[in-house]
Amino acid sequence: MQPNNMYHAMRSLKIVEGCRRTHVYILHPNSNSTAGLGGSVGEKFFQHLHDHLRVNSIRTKSTRGFTNFLANNNDNSSIENLSILADAMTIYGLPQSDFIEPQIEPCLKFVNFVETLAENYVRIQSSDQLEKSGLYLEQCAIFKGLHDPKLFRRGLRCARQHSIDVHSKVVLSAWLRFDRREDELIGISAMDCCGRNMECPKTCLISGYNPESFDDPCDCRRITREDRPIDIDMRDEECSTSFSGEVDEDYYDMSFCVGDEEIRCRRFDIASLSQPFQAMLYGGFMESRREKINFTQNEISANAMKAAEEYSRTKKLNLFEPELVLELLVMANRFCCEQMKSACDEHLASLVIDMDIAMLLVEYGLEETAYLLVAACLQVFLRELPNSMRNPNVVRFFCSSEGREKLVLVGHASFLLYYFLSQFAMEEDMKSNTTVMLLERLGECASQTWEKQLAFHQLGCVMLERKEFKDAQKWFEAAVDAGHTYSLVGVARAKYKRGHTYHAYKMMNSLISDYTSVGWMYQERSLYCDGKDKMMDLMTTTELDPTLSYPYKFRAISMAEEQGPEAAVTEINRILRFKVSPDCLEIRAWFLISMSDYEGALRDVQAIVTLDPRYMMFHGKFPGDQLVKLLRDNVQQWNPADCWIQLHDRWSAVDDIGSLAVVHHMLSTDPRKSLWLFRQSLLLLRLNCHKAAMRCLRMARNHTSAEHERLVYEGWILYDTGNNEEAIVKAEESISMQRSFEAFFLKAYVLSEEIPDPESSLYVIELLEEALRCPSDGLRKGQALSNQASIYVDIDNLEEAADKYMTALEIKHTRAHQGLARVHHLRNQRKAAYDEMSKLIEKATFSASAYEKRSEYCDPDMAKEDLSMATKLDPLRTYPYRYRAAVLMDDHKEADAIAVLTNAIAFKPDLQLLHLRAAFHDSMGENASAVLDCEAALCLDPNHTDTLDLYEKVQARVKEQPPT
């Protein structure tokens, strides 16, 4: 592409808001009228939906039952809505299995994940300070495949903590800020500091390693336009051009002549600026013998020469206007005045506090290779994401090859920078030209093996999404050549899309033969076969990795085709009980609509738009929130009192998805949005939907008009992103303004995780007591009572604990049954404990944790049954695997015990599982395997005391062994 064309293309780029999720793109197989989604019937149907929603807003209805409502047959609009939904099913039918496929994950995945974790840990421990930041960045890339935001964030924090150069500090600090999405917090400036040195924009511009101050609060204050010392673009304002005052004329011994002006100088001072000046004024040149030197032809203004003379005496720039400092920077470059260049660079960098100034100065910085100035501009661009990438000049700056080459010259082009930018772009719009160009720059910056693997694999994923299958295959093959085995899945998929199904099947066959089998291998191979072979591969996939959603979706759709939608709902429920995702909810909602279960469908669609407000239903053509309106007209309408009753019932039944739907309904009618958004975030955290939970918390913070509430929500955001001390400060600030349940609860909750001694535990109990004295509803008070009881158990006050749990149960806090069972158990009342957990199971039929906990209070055979049910309901719970492995180990079935843990670690590399397997290996004398598992576990948590002790013991034993 020619430069002019490239520039034109860059100007036309536009990042589309939102990243489309996986949808079910399916046509009705037997309808000729639906050939192609653009067909006339389909278009008329969607036009019908749009017209209906435009004309018919949500109506206020009585709370009578839906059956009576239909029987009266008086509301024509509701009957029309039913007709529209029936038309939808007629036109599109049920989902078809041929039109879904699993996504290739755009991250590093390994066939030997434990070894990868262990190697990373060992290299970090043995590396010097210069290497640690890069190794922690690699750890971030490894953790990305685990989908655990806390692990990824910890890796980012460690990379920032150990960074030395300004460039790395700037990028990593901006990434940490972006990870919290502070751009969504109203009233927070991009250049605001969270209070810690690691994210302070001023601290980031200071080179060097300073671990002692990493978590210390910084003293930088917020800088606004009113605060800034000089406004560069306000040319009509007076700016200081005065110099430091008169100096005795006898001090000067020479002059520089610029045009008609004569600038008096001291020869020694000017010579001290650089070697060229030293040579000119004291060397063999004729200027060394002249008192007046003509400087007119050097393109240096008289004012700049005056400023240079003053700097040579005072070494200060603070009195000069920015334009003059820029001219001094040019002069410093031309005459190799390194000290003056550094001073100009630092001074100009301190002025960069917003996008306007950054855009004005970045070109100067690039032209004059001013490292700090470019770093300061870069910092603003990164901290202003995503808004900055809507500026075509910024897009061109980052995306073009010319922009990267300029950054290389000034020392600011790095894999780290483009890794951050490409991750942001992929979240915004995976198919955009911006994403492609940033990934291309990422590949150009890649030097280490893992960097090449990641860049090439992600390029392959993006090209596959763009349906550029030939290019996708090329990039996936490049990633494979770099050593990324998982990219073979991408190669196979690209070949399949190009019509080479048999080649794709053979490739996956070879992969399964060559490596230890994991779930994604069989999942991919299932795409390239049919019938029983396909179903067998999908069954094997679920056995090896029950967390992969595609097999459940395929089986559900197949069951709908063969057995009806009821069987399909049962199958898709298997994964929704432990892993909630919009695509699985969409399939279930589709089936429920076909069964005329509009209440169930409404519940699921409300949950979908809570997880992703921009989710598109009906083959990605109709907004989910509008479908909510359409379905709501066909179910019983609730007033606020009904909503509270429904929420209490669902909360008591431990129905988190149902509770989420009720809260969504309350949000549409209750003006106190911040309260319900906060409740929504708590439910989402329970469902392990961390990203959506954080979005709700940010919205709650933005919607509230009360300062004390805003501080509480900010405190929860800080806590959930690992900033516990700041969270406590926010809670205390809120309490000082107004005593509230949530402020006391926040402070108590955070402190309860950090203080183990009995005295501190009593303080937490007091805080919760203060919370209970404040106004709140039963749902939250039940939680506070349960937390109080838990702390009483920890300090062996079982009487108080039992009392608090009973009080919580009286207000329908069902989960208190589990705590009360623990109290019975500690009193040696196992039967009572078992019965208590049975009560919980009666109310929460599909609670895996209830079955797991009840297993502790019964005989071994019944425990096995309960744990089997717990694993069936939630295969991600690790206790059942550890229990089964321990039983096998006690029976001297060591190989079987190791196999149980190994199978679980393959899809959930959990700290406790790795530690237990390491202990088993140690007891069997397999030191090498024990060391490997310890190192992998310590990669996940370097401070895990039990694993550290075991690791030290095994290493000592290895050293004692005589060499073979």
Side-chain angles (χ1 to χ4, degrees):
M1 182 180 289
Q2 295 298 318
N4 290 338
N5 294 335
M6 170 67 79
Y7 180 72
H8 177 74
M10 296 305 303
R11 288 177 61 87
S12 67
L13 286 176
K14 186 176 182 182
I15 297 180
V16 180
E17 289 191 4
C19 178
R20 289 193 178 179
R21 308 294 176 136
T22 305
H23 298 81
V24 189
Y25 297 91
I26 304 138
L27 305 178
H28 192 287
N30 300 320
S31 176
N32 295 329
S33 63
T34 61
L37 286 176
S40 59
V41 177
E43 291 298 329
K44 287 178 182 177
F45 168 68
F46 282 114
Q47 187 60 48
H48 191 185
L49 286 178
H50 282 289
D51 291 343
H52 166 81
L53 289 167
R54 186 177 65 250
V55 174
N56 299 287
S57 61
I58 299 177
R59 297 167 175 79
T60 304
K61 294 186 172 76
S62 66
T63 59
R64 59 191 167 180
F66 181 55
T67 304
N68 293 334
F69 176 72
L70 285 181
N72 291 334
N73 205 20
N74 291 326
D75 195 325
N76 293 329
S77 66
S78 187
I79 296 174
E80 179 188 0
N81 291 347
L82 287 175
S83 176
I84 292 172
L85 291 170
D87 287 345
M89 301 311 297
T90 300
I91 294 172
Y92 298 109
L94 292 173
Q96 283 187 33
S97 54
D98 291 343
F99 289 86
I100 63 169
E101 61 183 34
Q103 182 190 27
I104 297 175
E105 295 190 51
C107 58
L108 295 178
K109 289 179 74 74
F110 306 93
V111 292
N112 52 349
F113 192 68
V114 172
E115 290 83 350
T116 302
L117 289 175
E119 181 189 359
N120 179 257
Y121 174 77
V122 170
R123 285 194 291 141
I124 288 174
Q125 296 303 308
S126 61
S127 64
D128 59 35
Q129 185 52 47
L130 292 172
E131 298 174 317
K132 282 190 185 295
S133 183
L135 289 170
Y136 278 116
L137 181 66
E138 181 181 354
Q139 190 180 81
C140 288
I142 295 169
F143 287 161
K144 194 74 172 177
L146 292 177
H147 306 290
D148 186 338
K150 290 185 178 180
L151 283 175
F152 181 79
R153 189 178 301 116
R154 195 199 72 205
L156 275 184
R157 285 169 56 84
C158 289
R160 167 63 185 90
Q161 180 179 4
H162 293 278
S163 56
I164 296 175
D165 60 290
V166 167
H167 174 80
S168 296
K169 291 182 179 182
V170 162
V171 178
L172 288 166
S173 295
W175 200 340
L176 281 167
R177 185 181 183 278
F178 180 77
D179 188 59
R180 290 198 305 276
R181 299 300 193 274
E182 287 205 1
D183 60 283
E184 296 181 15
L185 297 180
I186 295 172
I188 300 292
S189 166
M191 296 305 286
D192 282 351
C193 176
C194 74
R196 283 187 176 182
N197 273 327
M198 65 176 170
E199 290 185 41
C200 174
K202 290 184 177 179
T203 304
C204 291
L205 297 179
I206 301 173
S207 181
Y209 176 56
N210 188 12
E212 293 81 9
S213 64
F214 177 72
D215 279 333
D216 292 346
C218 72
D219 56 359
C220 95
R221 64 186 180 89
R222 181 178 177 180
I223 300 175
T224 63
R225 283 181 176 271
E226 291 75 20
D227 295 325
R228 67 190 185 190
I230 299 170
D231 195 334
I232 294 177
D233 35 12
M234 297 176 69
R235 305 287 176 147
D236 56 336
E237 288 189 1
E238 282 201 358
C239 215
S240 175
T241 56
S242 64
F243 299 97
S244 60
E246 296 298 327
V247 179
D248 192 336
E249 187 64 26
D250 292 339
Y251 180 81
Y252 300 121
D253 56 7
M254 62 163 294
S255 301
F256 282 99
C257 298
V258 179
D260 297 332
E261 291 196 53
E262 181 177 328
I263 298 94
R264 298 289 291 161
C265 303
R266 187 183 180 204
R267 186 178 297 268
F268 176 81
D269 292 339
I270 298 297
S272 68
L273 291 176
S274 70
Q275 286 294 328
F277 275 121
Q278 172 79 20
M280 180 178 70
L281 298 175
Y282 285 107
F285 297 96
M286 63 180 65
E287 285 84 357
S288 63
R289 297 183 295 276
R290 292 181 177 176
E291 290 187 9
K292 293 184 179 181
I293 299 174
N294 189 341
F295 231 54
T296 303
Q297 302 303 317
N298 286 289
E299 300 179 0
I300 304 295
S301 70
N303 276 340
M305 203 64 225
K306 291 176 184 176
E309 185 279 324
E310 178 158 339
Y311 174 79
S312 72
R313 286 185 290 105
T314 66
K315 299 298 184 284
K316 294 181 181 179
L317 297 169
N318 56 306
L319 294 179
F320 304 146
E321 63 182 3
E323 288 87 345
L324 201 52
V325 179
L326 282 171
E327 198 169 353
L328 280 179
L329 178 63
V330 174
M331 177 181 174
N333 259 338
R334 183 170 300 173
F335 293 96
C336 304
C337 306
E338 295 301 327
Q339 186 179 9
M340 186 165 75
K341 178 179 179 178
S342 295
C344 293
D345 192 9
E346 184 176 348
H347 179 78
L348 291 169
S350 70
L351 303 180
V352 182
I353 56 175
D354 59 28
M355 278 289 294
D356 293 337
I357 299 177
M359 291 302 301
L360 184 65
L361 290 179
V362 68
E363 290 297 336
Y364 290 102
L366 291 170
E367 186 70 25
E368 301 301 329
T369 62
Y371 179 77
L372 276 183
L373 176 56
V374 174
C377 297
L378 188 65
Q379 178 167 248
V380 171
F381 296 152
L382 296 179
R383 291 170 74 100
E384 287 279 1
L385 288 173
N387 292 331
S388 60
M389 287 298 281
R390 297 188 178 107
N391 183 320
N393 291 324
V394 175
V395 173
R396 176 169 52 87
F397 174 75
F398 284 129
C399 293
S400 66
S401 295
E402 294 84 351
R404 191 188 78 87
E405 289 169 3
K406 289 181 178 179
L407 287 172
V408 168
L409 293 176
V410 78
H412 284 292
S414 68
F415 181 87
L416 168 63
L417 169 65
Y418 286 103
Y419 185 18
F420 175 27
L421 289 171
S422 62
Q423 295 309 296
F424 152 76
M426 290 172 72
E427 287 185 23
E428 287 283 297
D429 184 358
M430 198 163 180
K431 300 178 183 179
S432 72
N433 292 338
T434 298
T435 302
V436 173
M437 287 187 285
L438 286 172
L439 285 171
E440 287 174 345
R441 304 292 84 77
L442 182 71
E444 291 167 0
C445 291
S447 57
Q448 298 184 46
T449 299
W450 75 269
E451 295 174 346
K452 294 176 182 178
Q453 291 175 1
L454 180 64
F456 299 154
H457 178 74
Q458 290 187 336
L459 269 166
C461 291
V462 168
M463 292 303 178
L464 196 66
E465 286 288 316
R466 289 162 61 100
K467 301 188 186 306
E468 298 175 22
F469 302 125
K470 188 174 181 180
D471 284 341
Q473 182 177 332
K474 178 190 74 173
W475 287 115
F476 281 130
E477 287 172 344
V480 173
D481 291 341
H484 191 229
T485 305
Y486 177 65
S487 293
L488 284 169
V489 169
V491 178
R493 189 78 64 88
K495 287 188 175 183
Y496 169 66
K497 295 293 185 180
R498 297 177 67 195
H500 306 303
T501 305
Y502 179 65
H503 290 294
Y505 181 82
K506 282 185 63 178
M507 184 173 292
M508 296 315 300
N509 256 347
S510 298
L511 185 62
I512 291 170
S513 300
D514 294 343
Y515 295 94
T516 302
S517 298
V518 288
W520 52 261
M521 296 178 183
Y522 286 91
Q523 174 177 268
E524 190 65 25
R525 192 175 71 173
S526 72
L527 295 178
Y528 315 129
C529 54
D530 299 304
K532 291 183 179 179
D533 290 339
K534 189 182 194 76
M535 297 307 294
M536 287 180 63
D537 273 356
L538 290 176
M539 287 178 63
T540 305
T541 299
T542 301
E543 289 171 4
L544 293 173
D545 187 350
T547 67
L548 295 174
S549 62
Y550 170 74
Y552 300 94
K553 293 193 289 184
F554 183 90
R555 285 192 294 263
I557 295 171
S558 299
M559 287 177 179
E561 295 167 353
E562 298 171 5
Q563 306 170 37
E566 293 85 356
V569 169
T570 300
E571 177 62 26
I572 204 67
N573 280 345
R574 289 177 58 198
I575 190 168
L576 283 172
R577 286 178 188 139
F578 69 91
K579 185 180 178 182
V580 176
S581 63
D583 55 331
C584 290
L585 285 168
E586 180 184 16
I587 287 180
R588 187 169 74 175
W590 198 317
F591 292 140
L592 293 173
I593 291 173
S594 74
M595 296 162 59
S596 300
D597 182 358
Y598 301 119
E599 288 191 4
L602 176 60
R603 173 203 63 208
D604 286 349
V605 180
Q606 285 174 321
I608 289 170
V609 297
T610 301
L611 291 169
D612 184 354
R614 292 175 291 192
Y615 196 86
M616 302 294 287
M617 307 286 292
F618 289 134
H619 311 301
K621 285 200 171 184
F622 198 73
D625 57 351
Q626 293 193 30
L627 183 57
V628 168
K629 297 175 184 178
L630 190 64
L631 287 166
R632 191 176 287 158
D633 279 341
N634 294 289
V635 301
Q636 177 180 343
Q637 302 301 296
W638 296 332
N639 60 32
D642 294 328
C643 287
W644 272 109
I645 292 171
Q646 293 290 335
L647 184 58
H648 273 83
D649 289 346
R650 283 160 173 72
W651 191 279
S652 180
V654 198
D655 177 9
D656 291 331
I657 294 179
S659 300
L660 203 62
V662 176
V663 172
H664 182 275
H665 183 82
M666 294 167 116
L667 271 168
S668 67
T669 58
D670 193 333
R672 293 183 64 194
K673 288 190 174 182
S674 60
L675 169 64
W676 296 121
L677 285 164
F678 176 59
R679 296 300 174 84
Q680 206 172 58
S681 72
L682 298 177
L683 286 164
L684 288 165
L685 285 173
R686 260 191 202 167
L687 293 166
N688 292 319
C689 302
H690 188 269
K691 183 177 179 180
M694 290 298 98
R695 185 187 66 247
C696 289
L697 263 179
R698 293 190 294 271
M699 291 174 64
R701 182 261 185 205
N702 290 340
H703 277 84
T704 185
S705 58
E707 179 69 12
H708 72 278
E709 287 184 5
R710 181 182 64 79
L711 288 166
V712 170
Y713 301 145
E714 287 180 358
W716 279 113
I717 292 171
L718 288 165
Y719 167 75
D720 287 324
T721 52
N723 301 289
N724 291 10
E725 292 178 8
E726 289 86 346
I728 293 172
V729 170
K730 293 288 184 182
E732 290 171 343
E733 288 181 26
S734 179
I735 292 168
S736 69
M737 293 180 182
Q738 181 171 322
R739 295 165 60 84
S740 69
F741 175 92
E742 294 300 348
F744 281 114
F745 188 90
L746 169 61
K747 184 176 180 181
Y749 195 90
V750 178
L751 286 173
S752 66
E753 290 196 352
E754 297 190 339
I755 43 182
D757 58 284
E759 183 178 344
S760 301
S761 296
L762 289 172
Y763 177 58
V764 174
I765 289 173
E766 289 177 15
L767 287 172
L768 289 170
E769 201 62 51
E770 292 294 333
L772 288 164
R773 293 191 186 103
C774 299
S776 187
D777 58 82
L779 302 179
R780 293 298 282 156
K781 290 198 172 185
Q783 184 66 61
L785 286 164
S786 189
N787 287 9
Q788 263 190 330
S790 178
I791 298 171
Y792 276 124
V793 171
D794 291 339
I795 60 176
D796 296 324
N797 191 339
L798 299 184
E799 289 295 329
E800 284 288 347
D803 182 62
K804 296 296 181 183
Y805 280 130
M806 291 297 294
T807 307
L809 287 171
E810 289 172 3
I811 53 177
K812 290 190 173 184
H813 187 70
T814 305
R815 288 175 171 86
H817 281 298
Q818 184 166 319
L820 191 55
R822 183 184 173 199
V823 172
H824 291 319
H825 175 64
L826 292 172
R827 289 171 168 173
N828 294 318
Q829 300 169 345
R830 286 174 59 83
K831 177 66 167 58
Y834 181 87
D835 291 342
E836 201 67 44
M837 290 309 302
S838 296
K839 292 176 185 178
L840 176 56
I841 290 171
E842 288 174 9
K843 296 176 182 178
T845 310
F846 300 111
S847 173
S849 64
Y851 282 100
E852 179 183 294
K853 195 67 181 176
R854 191 175 71 171
S855 70
E856 299 179 22
Y857 311 134
C858 54
D859 61 66
D861 289 337
M862 295 177 68
K864 288 180 181 179
E865 292 180 9
D866 276 354
L867 291 175
S868 177
M869 178 59 75
T871 298
K872 181 179 179 181
L873 293 174
D874 185 355
L876 289 174
R877 301 190 72 84
T878 62
Y879 174 75
Y881 304 111
R882 289 184 281 135
Y883 178 89
R884 286 191 281 267
V887 170
L888 289 167
M889 203 69 181
D890 289 342
D891 292 340
H892 304 290
K893 298 178 180 178
E894 291 87 354
D896 292 340
I898 294 293
V900 166
L901 295 176
T902 300
N903 292 340
I905 289 169
F907 64 86
K908 186 175 175 59
D910 174 78
L911 171 67
Q912 296 293 341
L913 292 174
L914 286 165
H915 172 78
L916 184 58
R917 192 172 71 171
F920 285 177
H921 282 307
D922 176 50
S923 69
M924 296 161 61
E926 298 178 359
N927 295 330
S929 297
V931 166
L932 187 71
D933 283 343
C934 283
E935 289 167 348
L938 291 171
C939 186
L940 296 174
D941 183 359
N943 300 315
H944 190 251
T945 306
D946 291 341
T947 304
L948 284 168
D949 292 342
L950 178 61
Y951 187 44
E952 184 178 345
K953 183 179 75 172
V954 177
Q955 280 188 315
R957 189 178 300 120
V958 170
K959 291 178 181 177
E960 292 172 359
Q961 289 179 343
T964 56

